[in-house]
Amino acid sequence: MRLLNRPPSSLPVRPRPRVHSRLDLCGSDKTPQNKYYVGICLICPLLLPCMGSSSSRSNSRMDETSPSNDRNSGASAAEQDNEQDADLATILQFLIRSGQIHIITAEHEEVDDENVVSPPKINVQPNTAVLDKCEFSMRTKIESGVQRSGSGMKRPNSIPLLLQSREYGMLGLNCFSSGDRCKIFNNFLPNTLDVVQNYHNKAFCGTYSREGEFFLSACQDRNLRLYDTKNGQFKLLKTIQARDVGWSILDTAFSPDGTHVVYSSWSECIHIVNLFGDTDNQEALPLSPDDRRFCIFSLAFSNDGQKILGGGNDGYIYLYDRECQQQCLRIEGHEDDVNSVAFADSTSQILHSGGDDGLCKVWDTRTLSETNPKPVGVLAGHMDGITFIDPKGDSRHLITNCKDQSIKLWDIRVFSSENGQDNTRQAVMDQNWDYRWQRVPKKLINPKTRLDGDTSIMTYRGHSVLQTLVRCRFSPAATTGQRYIYTGCAAGRVIIYDALTGKIERTLTGHRGCVRDVSWHPYNQEIISTSWDGSLGRWTYEMLESAIDEAMLVDNSGPSLPRRSQRLVEKMLKLPGGNCDNVRSVALEATAETMPTVEDIGRRRCIPILHTRGTHYEVGFDVGRTFRGLIQNFVGISKTLNQVFLPLYNTEAGRRVYETTLKCVRSNFPQYVREIEGTAEGAQVPFHKLFLLHMDDILPNAIHGTGKNDGTGCSSVVCNESGNEILGHTEDALPEVLNHIYLVSAHIIPESPQGRWKVSEEKFTSLCYAGHLPGFTMGFNHHGLVFSINVLNAAKLVPGKTPRHILTRALLGAETFIDVQQILRDSGCGAGDAVSVNFTFLNQEGDRMFHNAEVGPSVGHESGLNILNASPGESFFHCNKFLRLPVEEQEGLGVTSSNHRHDTQQQLLPTVRSKAGVIKVLGDQSDSKWPIYREGHGEDFVKTVAVGIFDCVERTWALYTENPKISEPVVVLPLQLKSN
C-alpha cells in the first residue's frame, strides 16, 4: 500500500498483491484535520476481516499506545511479518471506522460521491394520531391561519375569497389577523431556483442573520463570505479568511445583533470575528479539551450575545463566557459526538443537545454542574445519531434531524422513560452501516413500528440524511406561522414538510450534490440552500399559470368581490415572477390587524420585560417582535383607535393633521419616528396606526374641537421625608390596556448624535403600553432621572407640534434638571397637547428635591411650562388637571375624576410621611364612585393597570398589578445608574 503524506511514525509497508478495491478519503464533517491520505490499496487476506461495514456511529477509537517492542529475540521473520500485518490492520480498521477513509469497489472508480444518492421511496403514510391531540397542532393552526382562535372554524382557501370574507365581515370581523396574513403567504411557497453563488469547493454552512439583512456562508476553501441581502439583493460584502481550519469550517453562528460571527473546525479553539471591524483581527476562544483531536460540530449564541454554546466530538457540551473571556462550563453530555446544540428560547436558560448516541437531552443552566452533569430530561425515539436540532422558540417544542432518515417533533414537557432511552441506545448500537458513504438500510427507510418508549409527537420522512450532518428548521413565524418544517437532503433537494400533516408540501430540486444547510428569510418567502456541489441556491416564488387560475376561483353564488379587493388581487397577479418583496408588500397592503374582543381573564400578576440594545430602529424592532401578540391584539381591540382616530385619519382633513404632525416630529425627533417604525415592522402592524396612538387627542381635537374625553388619567404622590423619599404613581387607562403593558430596558447607542438635542446615548427602563414608545407612563434612566406622567386635558390642542408622547420619550435621554426644562419647553416648536411630569434626580447634590412640571400646548413656538419644587419635609400630589398653569381645560370625566381624587388625597395628605402612607393613598377606594385605585365600575370605567413605587433611598422600583394595599409587588427593580 502506498501511503501519501505519511506521518513520521508510520510503519514500514511491504508491496503486496493488487486487489481491485480502493480506500478513498471520506468527504464528511467527521473527517479530522490529521488525515492519512490513502491511494491504491494492496491488501492481503489478513486485512479483510477488518474492512467490513462500520456502524454509523464514530465512537471506535484507535489505541494510541505504540505497538510493543518487547518481542522475543528469537522470533522468526514470519512472526515479525504477522505482527506488522496485525499493526497495519489495526491502523486501517481505525481509519475506516473513524471515516477518514472508506472502500469503493472497482466498478465505482469514476463515480462522484455527491451524485450517487437517490431520493428515498417512502411506503409508510404519516401518522398524525398523537399530533392531532397536541397543543402544537392547535397553536400552529391558529398562527398559520388555518383556523381562528376560539372559533374552531377554517378560513377560506383562495385569496379572493379571503379578501371577500374580510370585506363582508369574516366571522364578525372586517380585518385580517396575523394568522390570515400567514395563510396568504403560505400560498406563495418558494418554487424557483436561482443560483446566486458558485464556489470551487463544497459549501458547508449558510444562514441568514436574525433580521435577514445579511447572509453568511462557509466553504471548504476556508473562507467565510458575508452577503448584503437587504431589499432583495444578494451582494458580496466581504470575504473572510478563517484561521486554524482542519478539513473545513463546520459551523457558524451570528451574534444576536448581527455584528459578530463565531465559527468552528477541527481545532482546539473556536474563533470569533467582528464583521464590521478588522476581520483579520480574529479572536481565538480556547476550549482546552483533553483530546488533542478536537472539534466543535455545532455552535449557538445566547440571546444576550454573551455566551457561546458548543457541542464537541468528545461527547462534551461547552459554554464560553465572552465577558469573562473563558470557558465557564464543560459538561459530559453524551456517550459519543455531540452533533448539535441549541438554546430553547430567548431566556437562554434551557439548552438542547443531540448526539451520535441517538438521544436529545434537555439541560437547565441554572442547575448545571460539571461534577454532576444531569439533564432535566431526555427525548428518545430515534434509531441512529442525531444530526441537527432546531427549537421552535416557544420553550416547548423542537425538531431533530437524524441519520435514521427522519425528523421528529418533540414536546419537552413529555420526557422519555429509562426504558425508552435504553431502546434508543440499543437501536443505535445495532446499526452496522456508515451514513457517510454507505447506502441506507431498508429497515430505516420504511420502519414497520416505532421504538417502544418513543415520546415524539410526529415523525417526518422523505428526505435523505447521508454524507454529512444535514440540517432542518422550522419555517418563519412572521410569514408562515411556523406551519412548515424544511430540510436539506443528500439527494440534492430541499424538502418542505407540512408540520400538521407530515406530508411533503414541496420538493425543490436543482442541486447536483448534498444540500447540507438551508435558511429561510425571516420576512420574505425566500430560502437559501447550501450544497456540496459548491453552490448557493436562492429559492423564490414564481407564479405559474395554473396558480393564477386557482387563485381566481371565486364562488359566484356569494356576493361579488368588492372593487378594492379586486384591484388588489389583479395587482398581485400581475407581479413579475419571483419578486417576494412585492408579494409581501401587496399582502400587507391587503390586510389590517384583527379586532378581537377584550379577553375577560382578569388582572394578571405579570409584567414581561425586554432587555435590548441597538439603534433606535433596532430597539423598536425588538420591542415589536418580542411583544407582537400584545401589540397586535391591542391595536385590534382599541376602540379609540378604530372608532375615533382611524375614521378621522381616512378623511382629507384628518390626513392633513396627521401629515403635518408627523413632519414636525420627523424634523425634530427623527430617531423616535425610526423607533416607532421599528416597532411597527417588528409587530407587523401599520406604522400609521401606531403613530395615531402617539398623536392621541390631537387629531379629534383639531377636527371637532374636542378630544375623546374618556376620563383617562393617573395619580402621583410624592413624599419627601427624611429616610422616606418616595414617588408613587397609579397608571390608569382604558379597560383594553389591562394586561397589555410591558417593561422595556434599553441601551441605545446611535451611529451619530440624534435629534434636535443631539443625544448620543440613552439607557433606561420604562413601563410601556403595547405599541407605544417608552416614557409615557413611568420610568428611570441611567443619569438618575426618575419620573411619572399624568395627562392633562387642555381644551385647545395644536396640530403640527410635538405630541406629549414624544416629549416624554425624549425625557429618557435627559441628564440634568436643565435638560428636562429644555425638553419640555421645546423652544422653536412646543407641545401639541398637555402633560404633567413628576420627577427627581437620584444623583443630585445636596438635599433631595422633587419637582412637578405642568406643560401646556404650544403658545407661539414653545410649550407653556410651570415647575413646582418640593423640598425636604414637603409632599404633593397631582392628578389630571392644571393646578398652576393658566390653561383652559376640557370639561368632562377627566376633570371630574381628578377633582374627586384630589379631594381624597387632600384628606390623606397628613398620612403621607412614609412609603406605607404613599401606598395607602394609591390604594384608596373610600370614594366608591371616583376612587384613586380604579376598577372600572359604573361611570368611572377607567382601570388602574399598574402601580409603581420609586424608593429613592433604597433605589428600587416596585411594580404592582393589583391594589398595593392588599398585594405584593410583581417585581422590584434596582434603579441602576451610570457609573462615574
Side-chain angles (χ1 to χ4, degrees), residues 410-664:
W410 309 86
D411 186 330
I412 66 170
R413 294 169 294 184
V414 184
F415 291 126
S416 301
S417 64
E418 287 290 342
N419 180 59
Q421 297 174 42
D422 291 341
N423 289 337
T424 288
R425 292 188 184 96
Q426 187 59 51
V428 174
M429 291 295 296
D430 289 343
Q431 302 301 330
N432 59 356
W433 71 294
D434 194 311
Y435 84 110
R436 289 168 292 185
W437 58 279
Q438 288 184 308
R439 293 183 178 180
V440 183
K442 292 183 179 179
K443 65 180 180 179
L444 288 182
I445 297 177
N446 291 291
K448 296 181 179 179
T449 59
R450 56 192 277 166
L451 282 181
D452 184 26
D454 180 358
T455 54
S456 64
I457 59 179
M458 187 62 193
T459 302
Y460 306 86
R461 295 185 182 275
H463 64 291
S464 298
V465 181
L466 294 166
Q467 302 174 351
T468 183
L469 302 177
V470 176
R471 302 177 171 197
C472 66
R473 306 181 195 273
F474 284 102
S475 63
T479 53
T480 69
Q482 295 184 297
R483 166 77 181 268
Y484 304 105
I485 294 169
Y486 64 110
T487 179
C489 176
R493 308 176 302 162
V494 177
I495 303 296
I496 302 176
Y497 293 99
D498 186 333
L500 297 175
T501 66
K503 297 180 180 179
I504 295 178
E505 184 71 18
R506 185 150 295 174
T507 300
L508 307 178
T509 60
H511 283 291
R512 295 173 293 103
C514 173
V515 176
R516 184 180 189 268
D517 205 354
V518 283
S519 185
W520 198 319
H521 192 284
Y523 305 110
N524 295 338
Q525 294 295 59
E526 177 179 299
I527 297 174
I528 301 291
S529 51
T530 303
S531 173
W532 272 17
D533 64 9
S535 70
L536 300 181
R538 178 164 61 178
W539 302 87
T540 55
Y541 177 78
E542 180 175 336
M543 184 166 288
L544 308 175
E545 291 298 327
S546 58
I548 295 176
D549 295 338
E550 181 181 352
M552 291 306 295
L553 289 177
V554 181
D555 185 359
N556 294 324
S557 63
S560 62
L561 191 64
R563 284 177 295 175
R564 177 175 177 271
S565 296
Q566 287 179 345
R567 292 195 304 270
L568 289 169
V569 173
E570 290 169 1
K571 182 179 179 181
M572 179 179 62
L573 296 179
K574 291 178 181 178
L575 290 174
N579 194 330
C580 294
D581 289 335
N582 288 342
V583 173
R584 178 170 182 255
S585 65
V586 172
L588 289 178
E589 180 183 346
T591 62
E593 306 313 309
T594 183
M595 286 184 62
T597 57
V598 180
E599 292 181 294
D600 185 16
I601 57 175
R603 291 182 178 275
R604 310 311 304 159
R605 292 186 290 272
C606 172
I607 305 178
I609 184 169
L610 168 69
H611 294 272
T612 177
R613 178 189 178 105
T615 64
H616 288 89
Y617 176 85
E618 291 168 341
V619 166
F621 186 90
D622 286 341
V623 171
R625 184 182 59 84
T626 303
F627 301 114
R628 180 180 299 156
L630 284 178
I631 295 171
Q632 288 182 352
N633 188 259
F634 179 75
V635 168
I637 66 177
S638 172
K639 293 181 180 178
T640 303
L641 173 63
N642 292 287
Q643 298 177 12
V644 180
F645 298 161
L646 282 175
L648 292 174
Y649 169 81
N650 289 323
T651 66
E652 184 178 349
R655 188 63 63 88
R656 283 199 302 269
V657 172
Y658 172 90
E659 294 295 346
T660 56
T661 305
L662 176 58
K663 181 179 179 181
C664 167

Side-chain angles (χ1 to χ4, degrees), residues 763-765 779-782 785-787 812 950 957 974-976:
K763 191 172 185 180
F764 57 81
T765 300
F780 70 94
N781 70 14
H782 71 154
L785 173 64
V786 173
F787 68 94
L812 291 170
F950 292 98
W957 179 17
L975 300 178
Q976 296 178 334

Side-chain angles (χ1 to χ4, degrees), residues 182-331:
C182 287
K183 188 175 182 68
I184 292 176
F185 277 121
N186 289 341
N187 285 275
F188 305 104
L189 295 181
N191 61 3
T192 303
L193 173 64
D194 176 25
V195 176
V196 293
Q197 188 69 62
N198 279 300
Y199 306 129
H200 296 296
N201 300 86
K202 296 176 180 178
F204 267 69
C205 308
T207 53
Y208 278 108
S209 60
R210 176 179 289 187
E211 307 307 331
E213 296 179 328
F214 303 100
F215 184 87
L216 182 80
S217 72
C219 185
Q220 200 173 17
D221 63 5
R222 304 189 178 192
N223 284 320
L224 299 163
R225 294 175 176 88
L226 183 69
Y227 298 87
D228 185 347
T229 54
K230 295 189 288 291
N231 302 318
Q233 63 181 336
F234 199 88
K235 179 182 178 182
L236 180 64
L237 285 181
K238 58 180 65 178
T239 300
I240 304 167
Q241 180 73 47
R243 306 290 173 79
D244 194 18
V245 175
W247 177 243
S248 178
I249 301 168
L250 297 184
D251 198 16
T252 63
F254 272 104
S255 63
D257 60 5
T259 61
H260 291 74
V261 162
V262 64
Y263 65 88
S264 66
S265 182
W266 283 89
S267 168
E268 294 182 358
C269 299
I270 56 177
H271 292 75
I272 190 166
V273 186
N274 184 344
L275 294 176
F276 304 101
D278 181 6
T279 55
D280 290 332
N281 185 20
Q282 302 179 21
E283 183 180 1
L285 311 181
L287 298 180
S288 303
D290 297 330
D291 188 350
R292 59 185 176 84
R293 295 180 61 256
F294 180 72
C295 176
I296 289 291
F297 287 127
S298 180
L299 292 164
F301 267 99
S302 61
N303 192 54
D304 61 4
Q306 292 303 308
K307 291 183 173 60
I308 300 172
L309 180 65
N313 69 325
D314 55 357
Y316 280 77
I317 301 166
Y318 293 83
L319 198 61
Y320 188 92
D321 191 318
R322 293 177 63 194
E323 186 174 0
C324 298
Q325 296 185 331
Q326 64 180 6
Q327 171 191 302
C328 58
L329 272 178
R330 180 174 182 259
I331 300 298

Side-chain angles (χ1 to χ4, degrees), residues 712-724:
T712 57
C714 310
S715 302
S716 292
V717 181
V718 163
C719 170
N720 195 5
E721 299 289 338
S722 176
N724 287 280

Side-chain angles (χ1 to χ4, degrees), residues 138-173:
M138 179 191 69
R139 295 304 309 171
T140 303
K141 287 177 180 178
I142 293 171
E143 291 166 1
S144 62
V146 175
Q147 70 182 46
R148 187 178 289 276
S149 177
S151 69
M153 299 183 65
K154 292 186 176 180
R155 324 301 289 158
N157 285 323
S158 73
I159 295 174
L161 283 177
L162 196 59
L163 291 169
Q164 176 178 294
S165 299
R166 182 197 69 178
E167 297 296 327
Y168 280 91
M170 179 191 302
L171 301 178
L173 301 175

